Amino acid sequence: MRHLLVTAMSSFLLAACTEPRSAACRDVCKREALCVEETGSTMPFDEKECVAACAALEQDATVNAAKVKRHVDCVHKQQSCAAVLECK
């Protein structure tokens, strides 16, 4: 029983400490990952790290949330992968 309680508490703590992953971050990072692959870019890119960083920045309502929104908007407006990779 004690093992079950420890396991349940561990699961709860892990869930509580995990950043929420927004759909916008997942979509943008997926598109950027596809564009890095499609263009053969040598830019180091990890989709999971992108989503985690985006979600963390998105939670900062002061300055970073606006920057994330501008970046998401930029990626969504672009037709070509080269243009997507130019979004700041």
Side-chain angles (χ1 to χ4, degrees), residues 20-39:
R21 306 296 190 238
S22 78
C25 288
R26 287 191 309 267
D27 291 345
V28 165
C29 291
K30 182 176 183 173
R31 177 133 189 244
E32 289 176 323
L34 290 172
C35 285
V36 166
E37 185 178 314
E38 182 181 303
T39 61

Side-chain angles (χ1 to χ4, degrees), residues 47-81:
E47 186 175 347
K48 289 180 183 178
E49 286 181 14
C50 174
V51 173
C54 177
L57 291 170
E58 193 175 50
Q59 296 302 310
D60 178 5
T62 55
V63 176
N64 292 320
K67 290 179 183 178
V68 169
K69 179 159 179 19
R70 280 194 302 273
H71 183 75
V72 168
D73 291 344
C74 179
V75 170
H76 284 147
K77 289 178 186 175
Q78 305 311 317
Q79 299 296 318
S80 73
C81 278

Side-chain angles (χ1 to χ4, degrees), residues 1-14:
M1 182 65 149
R2 182 173 182 212
H3 177 67
L4 182 61
L5 181 60
V6 170
T7 302
M9 287 298 290
S10 296
S11 296
F12 173 76
L13 290 173
L14 284 173

